[in-house]
Amino acid sequence: MLILATLARGSAHGYALAEALRATSGGEFDVPEGSLYPALHRLERSGAVASEWVHDGRRRRVYAITADGATQLARETRAWRRFADGVASTLAAGAIRPAVGQGV
């Protein structure tokens, strides 16, 4: 989902994508190449991402989100928001009524 969200802002080669993930997350997502490229390849095989070789002084593979990828991103974002809302609600309810002396 995070890769698709980053590519939704514009196509990028792998290193630029990793840098964008790091920057937009405030350093929380420092994705190693050993994880990033296999994920990109899986997304490409599923049709969520397309790639092409470009030559801009260096030969680089540039990745872009597809229409199917945008649909997937919207679906996963909705699911994530429902999940995050559920977590937030559960944490808020626990903060209001702490379970004194009871195991959880």
Side-chain angles (χ1 to χ4, degrees):
M1 178 174 59
L2 298 176
I3 291 171
L4 292 175
T6 302
L7 288 174
R9 291 190 294 274
S11 60
H13 56 83
Y15 180 79
L17 181 57
E19 285 296 308
L21 281 165
R22 188 176 303 110
T24 57
S25 70
E28 289 298 316
F29 300 119
D30 189 6
V31 182
E33 287 183 26
S35 298
L36 178 62
Y37 288 104
L40 283 167
H41 296 154
R42 280 191 305 275
L43 288 167
E44 192 168 17
R45 281 192 305 274
S46 76
V49 167
S51 69
E52 66 178 334
W53 287 104
V54 298
H55 303 276
D56 58 356
R58 292 179 59 183
R59 184 175 176 220
R60 300 174 190 210
R61 192 149 195 89
V62 173
Y63 299 88
I65 192 169
T66 63
D68 286 347
T71 300
Q72 180 179 334
L73 174 59
R75 184 177 58 250
E76 289 181 9
T77 299
R78 284 190 304 272
W80 172 256
R81 287 189 176 136
R82 282 192 307 272
F83 176 78
D85 288 346
V87 170
S89 295
T90 301
L91 291 174
I96 294 170
R97 288 182 236 101
V100 177
Q102 296 180 4
V104 181

